Amino acid sequence: MEEKVVTANEPKKSVNFIEQKVIDDLAAGKNGGRLQTRFPPEPNGYLHIGHAKAIALDFGLAKKYGGECNLRFDDTNPQKEDTEYIESIEQDIKWLGFEWAHVYYASDYFQQLWDFAVWLIKQGRAYVDEQSAEIIAQQKGTTTSPGTDSPFRNRPVEENLQLFEHMNSGKCESGKMVLRAKIDMAHPNMLFRDPLIYRVLNIPHVKTGSKWNAYPMYDFTHGQCDYLEGVTHSWCTLEFVEHRPLYDLFVTWMKEWKGETDNIEDNRPRQTEFNKLNLNYTLMSKRNLLAMVNEGMVNGWDDPRMPTICGLRRRGYSPRGPRPADR
């Protein structure tokens, strides 16, 4: 039986706050009345039951309201990523019964992000900092005291451009330089205190090979990819509440770079946060689960004792079990 698609004009029912925002945005014609979501895992581990909640929201609401959901791998850290994780994530999503419209990677946008960063430098909104991570952290200040300007904050534009190119040359020592956005070292939201947007790793990437030696930071990449993909609704967990204003600022700057200054508020990704799915007495962090695998405490990611989706599958659960949206 074909699933009914609910439209924004139908009478409002008792729905959760995320779904209500979708209904309201569609009714208001935001983003041209489109609904596009994405599920954006980092390919640095296997998915666990907590991810099932996000998957159900991203894919389920897109299907219910006639939109589409893409699968995007936020592959900004080649130190921890592997094709094994990419393949396992795709398998788990399909087992849960969802299909994506397209598969994208953050690395698909590395060139655009680089060009955007160059534009920020030329605008005087970004600079190369040669201080250590420890000193930069100390200069950030605290929640009750402002930060201190980097001595490199007012470097000439041409010098910043040359150093930024050097960061990606393969000749720059890893961790020697970073590119920072120039925002406000006294901002009450400490994420605005000249955040790092590029760092040097000198590590080949699983998708781009050795083209890049300097990689964009997650906060600089995530929201920009949403915008470049045409995502209308960006759903994430509560720890990203404070990141939302920074994402919005970067998107506003990118729209300026592209000359798209009309309807800035209507035509942009809108982030909404929800609570994580947690289980008592259960480790729900990929970092901790990876440690258990590496230390031989379990027999791999799909050990039936693991809270991973593939572990639940081996334990005998049906796909319906981990899908909270079906309850």
mmCIF file of all heavy atoms in Angstrom, residues 229-272:
data_model
loop_
_atom_site.group_PDB
_atom_site.id
_atom_site.type_symbol
_atom_site.label_atom_id
_atom_site.label_comp_id
_atom_site.label_asym_id
_atom_site.label_seq_id
_atom_site.Cartn_x
_atom_site.Cartn_y
_atom_site.Cartn_z
ATOM 1 N N GLU A 229 24.448 22.036 -0.796
ATOM 2 C CA GLU A 229 23.579 20.949 -1.245
ATOM 3 C C GLU A 229 22.130 21.365 -1.408
ATOM 4 O O GLU A 229 21.334 20.632 -1.979
ATOM 5 C CB GLU A 229 23.639 19.790 -0.236
ATOM 6 C CG GLU A 229 24.739 18.818 -0.516
ATOM 7 C CD GLU A 229 24.839 17.760 0.581
ATOM 8 O OE1 GLU A 229 23.790 17.319 1.100
ATOM 9 O OE2 GLU A 229 25.962 17.376 0.912
ATOM 10 N N GLY A 230 21.775 22.505 -0.854
ATOM 11 C CA GLY A 230 20.378 22.925 -0.901
ATOM 12 C C GLY A 230 19.539 22.353 0.218
ATOM 13 O O GLY A 230 18.306 22.288 0.106
ATOM 14 N N VAL A 231 20.183 21.939 1.320
ATOM 15 C CA VAL A 231 19.447 21.408 2.466
ATOM 16 C C VAL A 231 18.587 22.517 3.063
ATOM 17 O O VAL A 231 19.039 23.645 3.245
ATOM 18 C CB VAL A 231 20.427 20.856 3.526
ATOM 19 C CG1 VAL A 231 19.705 20.526 4.829
ATOM 20 C CG2 VAL A 231 21.146 19.626 2.985
ATOM 21 N N THR A 232 17.334 22.187 3.372
ATOM 22 C CA THR A 232 16.422 23.175 3.966
ATOM 23 C C THR A 232 16.313 23.000 5.474
ATOM 24 O O THR A 232 16.139 23.977 6.199
ATOM 25 C CB THR A 232 15.019 23.059 3.344
ATOM 26 O OG1 THR A 232 14.474 21.753 3.624
ATOM 27 C CG2 THR A 232 15.075 23.274 1.843
ATOM 28 N N HIS A 233 16.408 21.765 5.959
ATOM 29 C CA HIS A 233 16.249 21.494 7.383
ATOM 30 C C HIS A 233 17.401 20.615 7.857
ATOM 31 O O HIS A 233 17.592 19.496 7.370
ATOM 32 C CB HIS A 233 14.910 20.818 7.672
ATOM 33 C CG HIS A 233 13.738 21.717 7.418
ATOM 34 N ND1 HIS A 233 13.295 22.010 6.149
ATOM 35 C CD2 HIS A 233 12.948 22.406 8.272
ATOM 36 C CE1 HIS A 233 12.263 22.842 6.237
ATOM 37 N NE2 HIS A 233 12.034 23.098 7.503
ATOM 38 N N SER A 234 18.163 21.163 8.801
ATOM 39 C CA SER A 234 19.345 20.504 9.339
ATOM 40 C C SER A 234 19.061 20.122 10.785
ATOM 41 O O SER A 234 18.952 20.987 11.649
ATOM 42 C CB SER A 234 20.543 21.467 9.250
ATOM 43 O OG SER A 234 21.626 20.998 10.001
ATOM 44 N N TRP A 235 18.939 18.837 11.048
ATOM 45 C CA TRP A 235 18.612 18.359 12.392
ATOM 46 C C TRP A 235 19.839 17.719 13.025
ATOM 47 O O TRP A 235 20.528 16.906 12.407
ATOM 48 C CB TRP A 235 17.450 17.370 12.325
ATOM 49 C CG TRP A 235 16.211 18.013 11.769
ATOM 50 C CD1 TRP A 235 15.724 19.258 12.060
ATOM 51 C CD2 TRP A 235 15.310 17.456 10.801
ATOM 52 N NE1 TRP A 235 14.570 19.505 11.341
ATOM 53 C CE2 TRP A 235 14.294 18.423 10.570
ATOM 54 C CE3 TRP A 235 15.246 16.244 10.114
ATOM 55 C CZ2 TRP A 235 13.242 18.222 9.680
ATOM 56 C CZ3 TRP A 235 14.200 16.034 9.228
ATOM 57 C CH2 TRP A 235 13.209 17.007 9.014
ATOM 58 N N CYS A 236 20.087 18.082 14.284
ATOM 59 C CA CYS A 236 21.260 17.563 14.980
ATOM 60 C C CYS A 236 20.980 17.529 16.476
ATOM 61 O O CYS A 236 19.922 17.977 16.925
ATOM 62 C CB CYS A 236 22.488 18.427 14.683
ATOM 63 S SG CYS A 236 22.257 20.158 15.092
ATOM 64 N N THR A 237 21.903 16.994 17.242
ATOM 65 C CA THR A 237 21.679 16.823 18.676
ATOM 66 C C THR A 237 22.059 18.081 19.459
ATOM 67 O O THR A 237 22.682 18.998 18.936
ATOM 68 C CB THR A 237 22.454 15.602 19.201
ATOM 69 O OG1 THR A 237 23.793 15.642 18.684
ATOM 70 C CG2 THR A 237 21.787 14.314 18.743
ATOM 71 N N LEU A 238 21.686 18.102 20.734
ATOM 72 C CA LEU A 238 21.691 19.322 21.528
ATOM 73 C C LEU A 238 23.065 19.954 21.729
ATOM 74 O O LEU A 238 23.157 21.158 21.986
ATOM 75 C CB LEU A 238 21.070 19.045 22.912
ATOM 76 C CG LEU A 238 19.557 18.844 22.935
ATOM 77 C CD1 LEU A 238 19.102 18.443 24.333
ATOM 78 C CD2 LEU A 238 18.842 20.128 22.506
ATOM 79 N N GLU A 239 24.143 19.181 21.605
ATOM 80 C CA GLU A 239 25.455 19.787 21.839
ATOM 81 C C GLU A 239 25.820 20.804 20.759
ATOM 82 O O GLU A 239 26.779 21.563 20.902
ATOM 83 C CB GLU A 239 26.546 18.713 21.936
ATOM 84 C CG GLU A 239 26.832 17.973 20.653
ATOM 85 C CD GLU A 239 26.096 16.645 20.563
ATOM 86 O OE1 GLU A 239 24.967 16.573 21.083
ATOM 87 O OE2 GLU A 239 26.650 15.698 19.984
ATOM 88 N N PHE A 240 25.021 20.853 19.681
ATOM 89 C CA PHE A 240 25.309 21.790 18.596
ATOM 90 C C PHE A 240 24.473 23.067 18.668
ATOM 91 O O PHE A 240 24.494 23.869 17.740
ATOM 92 C CB PHE A 240 25.093 21.109 17.243
ATOM 93 C CG PHE A 240 26.099 20.023 16.962
ATOM 94 C CD1 PHE A 240 25.760 18.688 17.113
ATOM 95 C CD2 PHE A 240 27.389 20.347 16.564
ATOM 96 C CE1 PHE A 240 26.682 17.686 16.867
ATOM 97 C CE2 PHE A 240 28.322 19.352 16.316
ATOM 98 C CZ PHE A 240 27.975 18.023 16.469
ATOM 99 N N VAL A 241 23.752 23.266 19.772
ATOM 100 C CA VAL A 241 22.958 24.497 19.924
ATOM 101 C C VAL A 241 23.846 25.728 19.803
ATOM 102 O O VAL A 241 23.523 26.688 19.082
ATOM 103 C CB VAL A 241 22.211 24.502 21.273
ATOM 104 C CG1 VAL A 241 21.608 25.877 21.541
ATOM 105 C CG2 VAL A 241 21.108 23.449 21.288
ATOM 106 N N GLU A 242 24.981 25.728 20.503
ATOM 107 C CA GLU A 242 25.862 26.890 20.467
ATOM 108 C C GLU A 242 26.582 27.037 19.137
ATOM 109 O O GLU A 242 27.088 28.119 18.822
ATOM 110 C CB GLU A 242 26.883 26.810 21.604
ATOM 111 C CG GLU A 242 26.262 26.984 22.994
ATOM 112 C CD GLU A 242 27.308 27.084 24.092
ATOM 113 O OE1 GLU A 242 28.478 26.748 23.798
ATOM 114 O OE2 GLU A 242 26.962 27.493 25.204
ATOM 115 N N HIS A 243 26.628 25.980 18.341
ATOM 116 C CA HIS A 243 27.283 26.046 17.037
ATOM 117 C C HIS A 243 26.377 26.690 15.987
ATOM 118 O O HIS A 243 26.875 27.196 14.974
ATOM 119 C CB HIS A 243 27.663 24.640 16.568
ATOM 120 C CG HIS A 243 28.671 23.960 17.442
ATOM 121 N ND1 HIS A 243 29.965 23.687 17.034
ATOM 122 C CD2 HIS A 243 28.581 23.496 18.713
ATOM 123 C CE1 HIS A 243 30.620 23.079 18.001
ATOM 124 N NE2 HIS A 243 29.797 22.944 19.036
ATOM 125 N N ARG A 244 25.080 26.659 16.213
ATOM 126 C CA ARG A 244 24.131 27.141 15.207
ATOM 127 C C ARG A 244 24.390 28.582 14.761
ATOM 128 O O ARG A 244 24.414 28.865 13.556
ATOM 129 C CB ARG A 244 22.699 26.985 15.689
ATOM 130 C CG ARG A 244 21.680 27.286 14.600
ATOM 131 C CD ARG A 244 20.264 27.479 15.091
ATOM 132 N NE ARG A 244 19.934 26.794 16.310
ATOM 133 C CZ ARG A 244 19.106 27.298 17.214
ATOM 134 N NH1 ARG A 244 18.576 28.499 17.029
ATOM 135 N NH2 ARG A 244 18.816 26.615 18.304
ATOM 136 N N PRO A 245 24.601 29.554 15.698
ATOM 137 C CA PRO A 245 24.865 30.921 15.244
ATOM 138 C C PRO A 245 26.119 31.037 14.377
ATOM 139 O O PRO A 245 26.169 31.854 13.456
ATOM 140 C CB PRO A 245 25.013 31.711 16.550
ATOM 141 C CG PRO A 245 24.322 30.888 17.582
ATOM 142 C CD PRO A 245 24.536 29.474 17.174
ATOM 143 N N LEU A 246 27.139 30.208 14.670
ATOM 144 C CA LEU A 246 28.359 30.238 13.864
ATOM 145 C C LEU A 246 28.080 29.691 12.472
ATOM 146 O O LEU A 246 28.541 30.253 11.468
ATOM 147 C CB LEU A 246 29.459 29.431 14.548
ATOM 148 C CG LEU A 246 30.828 29.432 13.859
ATOM 149 C CD1 LEU A 246 31.385 30.852 13.770
ATOM 150 C CD2 LEU A 246 31.809 28.523 14.598
ATOM 151 N N TYR A 247 27.313 28.581 12.392
ATOM 152 C CA TYR A 247 26.927 28.050 11.088
ATOM 153 C C TYR A 247 26.180 29.109 10.283
ATOM 154 O O TYR A 247 26.416 29.300 9.087
ATOM 155 C CB TYR A 247 26.034 26.822 11.237
ATOM 156 C CG TYR A 247 26.690 25.589 11.824
ATOM 157 C CD1 TYR A 247 25.930 24.511 12.260
ATOM 158 C CD2 TYR A 247 28.071 25.488 11.947
ATOM 159 C CE1 TYR A 247 26.519 23.378 12.802
ATOM 160 C CE2 TYR A 247 28.666 24.370 12.488
ATOM 161 C CZ TYR A 247 27.887 23.316 12.915
ATOM 162 O OH TYR A 247 28.482 22.191 13.443
ATOM 163 N N ASP A 248 25.250 29.799 10.950
ATOM 164 C CA ASP A 248 24.452 30.813 10.263
ATOM 165 C C ASP A 248 25.330 31.946 9.742
ATOM 166 O O ASP A 248 25.110 32.462 8.636
ATOM 167 C CB ASP A 248 23.380 31.368 11.207
ATOM 168 C CG ASP A 248 22.245 30.387 11.456
ATOM 169 O OD1 ASP A 248 22.128 29.409 10.694
ATOM 170 O OD2 ASP A 248 21.468 30.601 12.410
ATOM 171 N N LEU A 249 26.327 32.349 10.531
ATOM 172 C CA LEU A 249 27.225 33.416 10.082
ATOM 173 C C LEU A 249 28.019 32.970 8.859
ATOM 174 O O LEU A 249 28.133 33.719 7.878
ATOM 175 C CB LEU A 249 28.183 33.804 11.211
ATOM 176 C CG LEU A 249 29.244 34.846 10.843
ATOM 177 C CD1 LEU A 249 28.597 36.171 10.460
ATOM 178 C CD2 LEU A 249 30.243 35.034 11.990
ATOM 179 N N PHE A 250 28.578 31.763 8.906
ATOM 180 C CA PHE A 250 29.352 31.267 7.765
ATOM 181 C C PHE A 250 28.482 31.169 6.513
ATOM 182 O O PHE A 250 28.935 31.485 5.404
ATOM 183 C CB PHE A 250 29.975 29.907 8.088
ATOM 184 C CG PHE A 250 31.174 29.965 8.997
ATOM 185 C CD1 PHE A 250 31.468 28.917 9.863
ATOM 186 C CD2 PHE A 250 32.018 31.060 8.985
ATOM 187 C CE1 PHE A 250 32.581 28.967 10.694
ATOM 188 C CE2 PHE A 250 33.137 31.121 9.818
ATOM 189 C CZ PHE A 250 33.422 30.065 10.662
ATOM 190 N N VAL A 251 27.241 30.718 6.669
ATOM 191 C CA VAL A 251 26.341 30.626 5.524
ATOM 192 C C VAL A 251 26.032 32.020 4.971
ATOM 193 O O VAL A 251 25.996 32.228 3.753
ATOM 194 C CB VAL A 251 25.039 29.883 5.899
ATOM 195 C CG1 VAL A 251 23.985 30.049 4.806
ATOM 196 C CG2 VAL A 251 25.328 28.399 6.121
ATOM 197 N N THR A 252 25.814 32.979 5.854
ATOM 198 C CA THR A 252 25.567 34.355 5.415
ATOM 199 C C THR A 252 26.760 34.883 4.629
ATOM 200 O O THR A 252 26.606 35.519 3.574
ATOM 201 C CB THR A 252 25.293 35.266 6.622
ATOM 202 O OG1 THR A 252 24.118 34.807 7.296
ATOM 203 C CG2 THR A 252 25.067 36.707 6.178
ATOM 204 N N TRP A 253 27.974 34.603 5.116
ATOM 205 C CA TRP A 253 29.178 35.026 4.395
ATOM 206 C C TRP A 253 29.283 34.323 3.041
ATOM 207 O O TRP A 253 29.655 34.946 2.042
ATOM 208 C CB TRP A 253 30.420 34.719 5.228
ATOM 209 C CG TRP A 253 30.647 35.675 6.356
ATOM 210 C CD1 TRP A 253 29.904 36.776 6.674
ATOM 211 C CD2 TRP A 253 31.701 35.611 7.317
ATOM 212 N NE1 TRP A 253 30.427 37.411 7.772
ATOM 213 C CE2 TRP A 253 31.541 36.721 8.197
ATOM 214 C CE3 TRP A 253 32.765 34.744 7.542
ATOM 215 C CZ2 TRP A 253 32.413 36.969 9.262
ATOM 216 C CZ3 TRP A 253 33.622 34.982 8.612
ATOM 217 C CH2 TRP A 253 33.448 36.087 9.447
ATOM 218 N N MET A 254 28.948 33.028 3.011
ATOM 219 C CA MET A 254 29.050 32.297 1.746
ATOM 220 C C MET A 254 28.033 32.816 0.732
ATOM 221 O O MET A 254 28.343 32.936 -0.468
ATOM 222 C CB MET A 254 28.873 30.792 1.968
ATOM 223 C CG MET A 254 28.892 29.986 0.671
ATOM 224 S SD MET A 254 29.067 28.199 0.892
ATOM 225 C CE MET A 254 30.861 28.018 0.848
ATOM 226 N N LYS A 255 26.837 33.141 1.194
ATOM 227 C CA LYS A 255 25.837 33.704 0.291
ATOM 228 C C LYS A 255 26.324 35.053 -0.260
ATOM 229 O O LYS A 255 26.079 35.377 -1.420
ATOM 230 C CB LYS A 255 24.496 33.867 1.015
ATOM 231 C CG LYS A 255 23.778 32.540 1.280
ATOM 232 C CD LYS A 255 22.542 32.725 2.130
ATOM 233 C CE LYS A 255 21.385 33.296 1.333
ATOM 234 N NZ LYS A 255 20.828 32.338 0.372
ATOM 235 N N GLU A 256 27.017 35.823 0.569
ATOM 236 C CA GLU A 256 27.595 37.082 0.108
ATOM 237 C C GLU A 256 28.662 36.820 -0.942
ATOM 238 O O GLU A 256 28.749 37.516 -1.958
ATOM 239 C CB GLU A 256 28.187 37.848 1.301
ATOM 240 C CG GLU A 256 28.765 39.198 0.938
ATOM 241 C CD GLU A 256 29.402 39.900 2.116
ATOM 242 O OE1 GLU A 256 29.111 39.503 3.280
ATOM 243 O OE2 GLU A 256 30.197 40.833 1.886
ATOM 244 N N TRP A 257 29.510 35.806 -0.686
ATOM 245 C CA TRP A 257 30.556 35.432 -1.646
ATOM 246 C C TRP A 257 29.951 35.068 -3.000
ATOM 247 O O TRP A 257 30.482 35.435 -4.049
ATOM 248 C CB TRP A 257 31.364 34.272 -1.073
ATOM 249 C CG TRP A 257 32.335 33.618 -2.016
ATOM 250 C CD1 TRP A 257 33.331 34.242 -2.728
ATOM 251 C CD2 TRP A 257 32.432 32.225 -2.338
ATOM 252 N NE1 TRP A 257 34.032 33.317 -3.481
ATOM 253 C CE2 TRP A 257 33.501 32.073 -3.257
ATOM 254 C CE3 TRP A 257 31.722 31.099 -1.937
ATOM 255 C CZ2 TRP A 257 33.875 30.835 -3.772
ATOM 256 C CZ3 TRP A 257 32.091 29.859 -2.436
ATOM 257 C CH2 TRP A 257 33.150 29.733 -3.354
ATOM 258 N N LYS A 258 28.834 34.382 -2.972
ATOM 259 C CA LYS A 258 28.180 33.955 -4.201
ATOM 260 C C LYS A 258 27.248 35.017 -4.784
ATOM 261 O O LYS A 258 26.652 34.803 -5.832
ATOM 262 C CB LYS A 258 27.400 32.654 -3.951
ATOM 263 C CG LYS A 258 28.285 31.434 -3.787
ATOM 264 C CD LYS A 258 27.449 30.199 -3.575
ATOM 265 C CE LYS A 258 28.304 28.949 -3.738
ATOM 266 N NZ LYS A 258 28.679 28.702 -5.131
ATOM 267 N N GLY A 259 27.116 36.136 -4.080
ATOM 268 C CA GLY A 259 26.245 37.193 -4.572
ATOM 269 C C GLY A 259 24.770 36.917 -4.385
ATOM 270 O O GLY A 259 23.927 37.522 -5.049
ATOM 271 N N GLU A 260 24.453 36.010 -3.458
ATOM 272 C CA GLU A 260 23.055 35.639 -3.215
ATOM 273 C C GLU A 260 22.585 36.306 -1.918
ATOM 274 O O GLU A 260 22.517 35.682 -0.872
ATOM 275 C CB GLU A 260 22.917 34.118 -3.122
ATOM 276 C CG GLU A 260 23.369 33.397 -4.381
ATOM 277 C CD GLU A 260 23.398 31.887 -4.215
ATOM 278 O OE1 GLU A 260 23.051 31.406 -3.110
ATOM 279 O OE2 GLU A 260 23.797 31.195 -5.165
ATOM 280 N N THR A 261 22.275 37.577 -2.012
ATOM 281 C CA THR A 261 21.927 38.334 -0.804
ATOM 282 C C THR A 261 20.427 38.528 -0.635
ATOM 283 O O THR A 261 19.986 39.121 0.349
ATOM 284 C CB THR A 261 22.602 39.718 -0.842
ATOM 285 O OG1 THR A 261 22.242 40.383 -2.060
ATOM 286 C CG2 THR A 261 24.115 39.573 -0.793
ATOM 287 N N ASP A 262 19.621 38.033 -1.582
ATOM 288 C CA ASP A 262 18.169 38.167 -1.462
ATOM 289 C C ASP A 262 17.596 37.028 -0.630
ATOM 290 O O ASP A 262 18.049 35.874 -0.720
ATOM 291 C CB ASP A 262 17.499 38.153 -2.845
ATOM 292 C CG ASP A 262 17.875 39.368 -3.677
ATOM 293 O OD1 ASP A 262 18.219 40.396 -3.055
ATOM 294 O OD2 ASP A 262 17.853 39.284 -4.908
ATOM 295 N N ASN A 263 16.600 37.347 0.183
ATOM 296 C CA ASN A 263 15.885 36.338 0.978
ATOM 297 C C ASN A 263 16.838 35.455 1.784
ATOM 298 O O ASN A 263 16.727 34.231 1.803
ATOM 299 C CB ASN A 263 15.010 35.452 0.078
ATOM 300 C CG ASN A 263 13.975 36.250 -0.684
ATOM 301 O OD1 ASN A 263 13.382 37.176 -0.136
ATOM 302 N ND2 ASN A 263 13.781 35.909 -1.948
ATOM 303 N N ILE A 264 17.796 36.113 2.445
ATOM 304 C CA ILE A 264 18.812 35.358 3.189
ATOM 305 C C ILE A 264 18.179 34.474 4.254
ATOM 306 O O ILE A 264 18.572 33.326 4.457
ATOM 307 C CB ILE A 264 19.834 36.331 3.829
ATOM 308 C CG1 ILE A 264 20.729 36.913 2.735
ATOM 309 C CG2 ILE A 264 20.681 35.619 4.877
ATOM 310 C CD1 ILE A 264 21.758 37.896 3.252
ATOM 311 N N GLU A 265 17.170 34.985 4.936
ATOM 312 C CA GLU A 265 16.575 34.231 6.034
ATOM 313 C C GLU A 265 15.663 33.116 5.548
ATOM 314 O O GLU A 265 15.500 32.093 6.204
ATOM 315 C CB GLU A 265 15.808 35.174 6.963
ATOM 316 C CG GLU A 265 16.706 36.157 7.711
ATOM 317 C CD GLU A 265 17.822 35.452 8.474
ATOM 318 O OE1 GLU A 265 17.564 34.418 9.109
ATOM 319 O OE2 GLU A 265 18.961 35.942 8.409
ATOM 320 N N ASP A 266 15.022 33.309 4.393
ATOM 321 C CA ASP A 266 14.095 32.296 3.897
ATOM 322 C C ASP A 266 14.801 31.157 3.178
ATOM 323 O O ASP A 266 14.382 30.008 3.252
ATOM 324 C CB ASP A 266 13.072 32.927 2.937
ATOM 325 C CG ASP A 266 11.957 33.643 3.680
ATOM 326 O OD1 ASP A 266 11.897 33.488 4.912
ATOM 327 O OD2 ASP A 266 11.175 34.352 3.044
ATOM 328 N N ASN A 267 15.860 31.468 2.466
ATOM 329 C CA ASN A 267 16.531 30.465 1.633
ATOM 330 C C ASN A 267 17.873 30.096 2.240
ATOM 331 O O ASN A 267 18.928 30.560 1.824
ATOM 332 C CB ASN A 267 16.706 30.999 0.209
ATOM 333 C CG ASN A 267 15.372 31.234 -0.467
ATOM 334 O OD1 ASN A 267 14.592 30.314 -0.640
ATOM 335 N ND2 ASN A 267 15.098 32.476 -0.831
ATOM 336 N N ARG A 268 17.814 29.255 3.258
ATOM 337 C CA ARG A 268 19.025 28.803 3.934
ATOM 338 C C ARG A 268 18.681 27.557 4.753
ATOM 339 O O ARG A 268 17.515 27.314 5.070
ATOM 340 C CB ARG A 268 19.562 29.893 4.865
ATOM 341 C CG ARG A 268 18.651 30.184 6.048
ATOM 342 C CD ARG A 268 19.176 31.334 6.898
ATOM 343 N NE ARG A 268 20.549 31.098 7.292
ATOM 344 C CZ ARG A 268 21.444 32.077 7.434
ATOM 345 N NH1 ARG A 268 21.103 33.318 7.212
ATOM 346 N NH2 ARG A 268 22.673 31.802 7.804
ATOM 347 N N PRO A 269 19.670 26.741 5.091
ATOM 348 C CA PRO A 269 19.391 25.620 5.997
ATOM 349 C C PRO A 269 18.973 26.142 7.370
ATOM 350 O O PRO A 269 19.538 27.109 7.869
ATOM 351 C CB PRO A 269 20.747 24.905 6.084
ATOM 352 C CG PRO A 269 21.546 25.395 4.927
ATOM 353 C CD PRO A 269 21.072 26.785 4.663
ATOM 354 N N ARG A 270 17.966 25.510 7.951
ATOM 355 C CA ARG A 270 17.519 25.881 9.291
ATOM 356 C C ARG A 270 17.803 24.714 10.239
ATOM 357 O O ARG A 270 17.256 23.628 10.076
ATOM 358 C CB ARG A 270 16.022 26.235 9.290
ATOM 359 C CG ARG A 270 15.755 27.679 8.920
ATOM 360 C CD ARG A 270 14.274 27.952 8.806
ATOM 361 N NE ARG A 270 13.671 27.235 7.694
ATOM 362 C CZ ARG A 270 13.843 27.597 6.413
ATOM 363 N NH1 ARG A 270 14.573 28.644 6.120
ATOM 364 N NH2 ARG A 270 13.282 26.920 5.439
ATOM 365 N N GLN A 271 18.658 24.994 11.217
ATOM 366 C CA GLN A 271 19.063 23.948 12.155
ATOM 367 C C GLN A 271 18.105 23.879 13.332
ATOM 368 O O GLN A 271 17.729 24.894 13.912
ATOM 369 C CB GLN A 271 20.475 24.225 12.666
ATOM 370 C CG GLN A 271 20.966 23.210 13.692
ATOM 371 C CD GLN A 271 22.419 23.417 14.062
ATOM 372 O OE1 GLN A 271 23.292 23.465 13.192
ATOM 373 N NE2 GLN A 271 22.701 23.543 15.353
ATOM 374 N N THR A 272 17.718 22.668 13.689
ATOM 375 C CA THR A 272 16.908 22.408 14.879
ATOM 376 C C THR A 272 17.555 21.259 15.640
ATOM 377 O O THR A 272 17.973 20.270 15.039
ATOM 378 C CB THR A 272 15.466 22.037 14.506
ATOM 379 O OG1 THR A 272 14.909 23.066 13.681
ATOM 380 C CG2 THR A 272 14.603 21.864 15.757
#
